[in-house]
Amino acid sequence: MADDETRIVLTHLRTSLNADPARFANNFFARLFSLDPSIRDLFPPSLAHLRNAFPRVVDHVLDGALAPTGHGALVELLAQLGRDHRKYGVLPQHYELAGRALEAEFAAVLGSSRTPAAAAAIGQIVATITGVMSGAAAKETGPPATPARVVQKFQISREHAVVRLVAERPLNYLPGQYVEVCIPQWSRSWRMLSPAIPASPTGEVEFHLRAVPGGTVSRSIVLETAVGDVWSIAQNHGMLRVDPNTPTTMIAGGTGLAPLRAILTGLAANVDNPPIHLYYGARHPGELYELATLQPMCAMSPWLSVTAVTEERDDPWWLGSIASPTDLGFPHMLGTLADAVVHDADRTPGYWDSRDVLIAGSPAMIETTERKLLINGASYRRIHHDPVG
Ligand SMILES: Cc1cc2nc3c(=O)[nH]c(=O)nc-3n(C[C@H](O)[C@H](O)[C@H](O)COP(=O)(O)OP(=O)(O)OC[C@H]3O[C@@H](n4cnc5c(N)ncnc54)[C@H](O)[C@@H]3O)c2cc1C
């Protein structure tokens, strides 16, 4: 535990770091690469993702170090980061250099306010970060990533594609979890994707992709990925799941259906499940391409019901769907997912207290939907989604 003087300095360090996180990240990486230029080769061509994520992790660690409790969770987070970094080819000696670069940048940020006691506390924090990460990485015996070959690709629309792969070894993610993926067109640029089917003993896996505007990897997958490409699939994360004893509302925007579909497919093997209502939404009816898959699932699963939600009633000329949601037997609501779910909900007091809500989709859709549900009485602890961003 830090003494009062050290706490003041560490709090000042956090404030200064958060005032200009991009500068902190740039300086850290510049220091690291100058200590050993060959380390640059381990990182993706664009450091944009790391520049964004790195200061947030450091801030979280400093916050945890200042907190009186919760150090176990912090150690577990660092251990997970260490295991995750194996996929970059990070070696034990790199941790020593990263520690030196981090300590030097902390010292530069603090300047004259760096007291000897604070310097010692910072040295200890940096040693903990590098020690826990490298220790956890060294303990892990399995391969850091699994190669998987593309065996099928379906272009659903200009922006959407479904990609099926077979991995060299079975993948061990749980339904609803996401994995880290790297494609040959963007080496070392890892992105999170949610498998749309539960892990199979023979390594089959399916991803649903949306090319985001200005996106690099997602655009390449939708436009360039071809049968025969070999992807790398690493570490699984995430806690999305259905509690077997709790009625659940699922809200899926576009390709956000993938993790929820994997959960539903996994549940379909059970004799008994809680009631689940899925709201599946997109801008146009023709973008709800998974309705045809959900139809037989609904027919065989009395615990599952589905409502289609679209912002527009009709498809544009370039997006002709074979059948409308109503043709397929689904109720069809117009509006945003957030509005549809709130409008449709039972008004009985306590309704939202008795059910879980799982949301999956774009960061904007998750944030809007969560906010609307909270305003309308849903309880924060009942709403679950993957990290946004
Ligand atoms: C837990 C999790 C699971 C995910 N699962 C899937 C999935 O199953 N299918 C899928 O297609 N994507 C999924 N994503 C999003 C995916 O990881 C990438 O962020 C997305 O594909 C964009 O990557 P990019 O390289 O094309 O864009 P980048 O080159 O990284 O970014 C380019 C621009 O796009 C913006 N951007 C990044 N991500 C998004 C986004 N999701 N929506 C809107 N704008 C964005 C950035 O802010 C930036 O301005 C998931 C993300 C998370 C966090």
Side-chain angles (χ1 to χ4, degrees), residues 49 178 191-194 208-210 212-218 363 386-387 389:
H49 274 256
Y178 54 94
R191 295 291 184 270
M192 294 159 190
L193 295 182
S194 307
H208 294 202
L209 265 300
R210 178 171 82 93
V212 304
T216 48
V217 175
S218 63
D386 282 329

